[in-house]
Amino acid sequence: MEAKRIAAEQAVAYIEDGMTVGLGTGSTAYWAIKKLGARVQEGLRVKAIATSQESEVLAKELGIEIITFAELSGQLDLTIDGADEVDAAFDLTKGGGGALLREKIVASASKRMIVIVDESKVVERLGAFPLPVEIVPFGWEMTLRQLENLGCKPAVRLQGEERFRTDNGNFIVDCAFGSIADPGKLSVAINGIPGVVENGLFVRMADGVIVGRMDGSVQELKQA
Ligand code: 5RP
């Protein structure tokens, strides 16, 4: 938790007065939103778009102004979000918290994306973490089979006895591919399946990665 907090707080230092900001989702992004809230209390002026209802509620509680895309002219200046895995090319697996669709929309609407992780998330190759894929409920059994045909073991995410529902009312399938050789190619193949809304591979989207370590140090990675 400490490693996540220190990475998050370092990222928030990049937010300047007047910026529009994308707010991530998850236990690392939580610390970024908390820190941003503290800076807003001190007088920083920002407008933000959140990647989940949970993050939006937190941001509002802390006094961060939330806007919609209708109110945004141009792109967001900066998005800060967590990840489940990050490789040396800054490609990511995201969606552990089930917010990957909104996270990808927000990241792609941003001039810059800074990823905040603890050191356990930094990997040589993506794939040990099962890839989350958001799918529509209609025909989900068929969509699952088509995902399986791409070479993974798919499992519909559960929340208790029920199927987990995203903020968009969809299901998440966690796809165990093992090591992913070409994230870009796999992303295109997955999104080509009818019923798939979006997948958790973020390819060439992150501009910076800040890693919090257990020893209390923080490192800003250099892209390979
Ligand atoms: C949510 C995400 C999160 O950023 C990812 O799961 C990492 O979460 P955490 O910061 O809690 O470890 O993609 O959909």
Side-chain angles (χ1 to χ4, degrees):
M1 185 171 101
E2 189 59 9
K4 291 182 176 189
R5 185 181 66 77
I6 54 180
E9 292 189 349
Q10 184 146 324
V12 172
Y14 285 95
I15 300 176
E16 293 169 12
D17 198 53
M19 276 189 167
T20 52
V21 183
L23 305 175
T25 293
S27 57
T28 318
Y30 166 87
W31 290 111
I33 298 169
K34 288 279 277 189
K35 182 69 182 175
L36 180 58
R39 290 192 61 200
V40 165
Q41 297 296 325
E42 288 162 12
L44 184 81
R45 289 162 304 162
V46 292
K47 292 180 181 178
I49 295 181
T51 55
S52 63
Q53 286 165 5
E54 193 183 347
S55 292
E56 183 168 322
V57 167
L58 176 65
K60 282 180 175 167
E61 274 170 16
L62 297 167
I64 300 169
E65 184 182 348
I66 295 292
I67 58 166
T68 65
F69 279 107
E71 297 163 272
L72 177 73
S73 58
Q75 290 179 291
L76 289 162
D77 291 305
L78 174 64
T79 284
I80 298 174
D81 202 351
D84 299 298
E85 288 182 331
V86 51
D87 71 12
F90 290 5
D91 290 339
L92 318 170
T93 300
K94 286 185 50 55
L100 68 97
L101 174 59
R102 294 188 187 199
E103 289 171 337
K104 201 176 268 193
I105 291 171
V106 169
S108 70
S110 304
K111 289 180 200 157
R112 281 184 77 206
M113 179 191 195
I114 296 181
V115 176
I116 46 177
V117 289
D118 66 43
E119 59 190 314
S120 70
K121 309 285 187 68
V122 181
V123 298
E124 256 182 47
R125 210 180 241 208
L126 304 180
F129 189 92
L131 176 66
V133 177
E134 180 156 347
I135 68 168
V136 296
F138 179 82
W140 67 268
E141 300 91 336
M142 190 62 216
T143 309
L144 207 75
R145 263 176 263 160
Q146 298 222 48
L147 285 165
E148 198 166 17
N149 288 342
L150 291 180
C152 71
K153 278 206 185 105
V156 179
R157 192 178 296 180
L158 299 177
Q159 189 164 40
E161 309 260 291
E162 304 284 311
R163 284 181 206 102
F164 172 86
R165 291 271 185 167
T166 68
D167 282 352
N168 319 299
N170 294 318
F171 296 161
I172 294 284
V173 185
D174 293 303
C175 299
F177 278 98
S179 182
I180 296 172
D182 188 337
K185 204 168 151 192
L186 182 60
S187 177
V188 169
I190 292 172
N191 285 4
I193 298 174
V196 167
V197 183
E198 191 49 84
N199 72 82
L201 288 168
F202 284 49
V203 180
R204 305 293 134 99
M205 294 185 88
D207 301 288
V209 176
I210 301 182
V211 184
R213 300 196 179 278
M214 300 295 275
D215 64 8
S217 65
V218 181
Q219 188 189 8
E220 302 201 9
L221 296 188
K222 299 230 179 312
Q223 199 161 10

